[in-house]
Amino acid sequence: MKDHIVIINTPEVNGARYLRILVEQIRSTPQLEQHPIEILSSSFPDGLPTEISAMGVVLHHGRPEGRTDLADVDVQFATFIVLMAVDTNDYRSDSLTLDILDQLKSFDVGGYIVAECVQEANRERIKSHGADAVIRPVRAYPELMVRAMAAPGTEAILEDLFQHAGNHTRRYDIEFSAKTWGEMASKLLLQGLGTPMGYLDVGGHIVTNPKPDSLVAGTAIFVIAGQDSPPDPDKVAACIG
């Protein structure tokens, strides 16, 4: 197989469900939808569930700790290699990831490697061993893995939003009307009041990333701002009111 996506390991808990959603997301992403998908896992001894195999996914039943099984899934010809953590609650999952990365060094791998990291302290180690992108396992959000492949770098921005000490989306209940989105958003940016992401319109609908020339009216605005320096609500109101 060539120009394919190799997924190494599968989650120990609800692995089939996560894989199904992950594959569905891959198949609905234009940059990825044409790539064949091959899974190397010691799970699924009776084969993949029908809903996964029906999407053209191929399973190689084996363990990635050895060179033989890695060779069987043609890692050297893969466009993407995904190293998944088996147990997101066990730091030893990172040790297995590091071992697999060492094994991959014996191949002429040219594909983009995305690796999950359970313990934050191991992030740089995993990257130094050859991973192009290192992300936390977020089983409720397979889109994070897909973003790491389809638009490298965006996973770091999304991960930041999940962290307590990172940036956060904030809501400001402020009424506004008769403004273009571009005018209002640029004022907020220039005054250092966060990065506007969307607003709540007068009908109670959330509108995200509107066009700059859209005439907007609403009762709340959503901005991304740092945890340590949230914009003052009065300043936001004065800016857009």
Side-chain angles (χ1 to χ4, degrees):
M1 194 175 288
K2 293 184 178 181
D3 300 323
H4 56 306
I5 298 172
V6 175
I7 299 174
I8 298 176
N9 290 327
T10 51
E12 193 173 66
V13 179
N14 295 323
R17 178 183 180 277
Y18 180 85
L19 276 179
R20 176 181 58 79
I21 298 172
L22 177 63
V23 173
E24 287 174 348
Q25 291 287 335
I26 291 172
R27 290 290 184 242
S28 63
T29 302
Q31 301 96 315
L32 305 173
E33 62 180 347
Q34 298 302 322
H35 290 284
I37 301 173
E38 190 165 10
I39 295 173
L40 170 58
S41 173
S42 57
S43 302
F44 311 112
D46 299 320
L48 289 171
T50 303
E51 63 267 24
I52 298 176
S53 60
M55 291 185 280
V57 180
V58 175
L59 171 69
H60 179 83
H61 192 265
R63 294 187 176 275
E65 295 91 329
R67 179 183 170 88
T68 301
D69 286 330
L70 288 172
D72 286 343
V73 292
D74 300 314
V75 289
Q76 67 272 34
F77 301 121
T79 301
F80 297 99
I81 299 175
V82 175
L83 305 183
M84 299 192 68
V86 175
D87 186 349
T88 60
N89 296 311
D90 191 342
Y91 291 162
R92 288 176 296 182
S93 292
D94 289 349
S95 297
L96 177 57
T97 296
L98 288 165
D99 178 75
I100 296 170
L101 287 168
D102 278 339
Q103 294 286 341
L104 288 173
K105 290 178 182 177
S106 63
F107 295 87
D108 186 19
V109 173
Y112 192 80
I113 301 175
V114 182
E116 290 186 331
C117 174
V118 174
Q119 188 175 24
E120 184 64 24
N122 289 326
R123 183 182 290 266
E124 290 304 318
R125 289 181 63 202
I126 290 174
K127 197 157 191 176
S128 68
H129 275 67
D132 296 293
V134 181
I135 64 176
R136 291 180 178 179
V138 184
R139 294 292 174 256
Y141 191 60
E143 176 69 5
L144 183 62
M145 181 70 74
V146 176
R147 289 293 90 204
M149 292 187 283
T154 56
E155 77 284 349
I157 296 173
L158 292 171
E159 269 197 314
D160 183 65
L161 297 176
F162 289 124
Q163 298 182 45
H164 174 72
N167 294 303
H168 294 274
T169 303
R170 297 180 178 275
R171 171 174 171 158
Y172 292 90
D173 292 303
I174 300 166
E175 293 188 9
F176 56 90
S177 62
K179 298 178 184 298
T180 65
W181 176 253
E183 174 191 4
M184 187 167 66
S186 61
K187 282 184 178 180
L188 288 165
L189 279 169
L190 291 172
Q191 293 188 30
L193 298 174
T195 302
M197 299 298 292
Y199 68 98
L200 184 69
D201 70 15
V202 292
H205 303 102
I206 295 175
V207 181
T208 59
N209 193 31
K211 293 181 179 180
D213 58 353
S214 299
L215 193 63
V216 298
T219 58
I221 188 165
F222 300 91
V223 301
I224 292 180
Q227 170 71 7
D228 297 330
S229 56
D232 181 83
D234 291 337
K235 291 183 178 180
V236 175
C239 179
I240 69 174

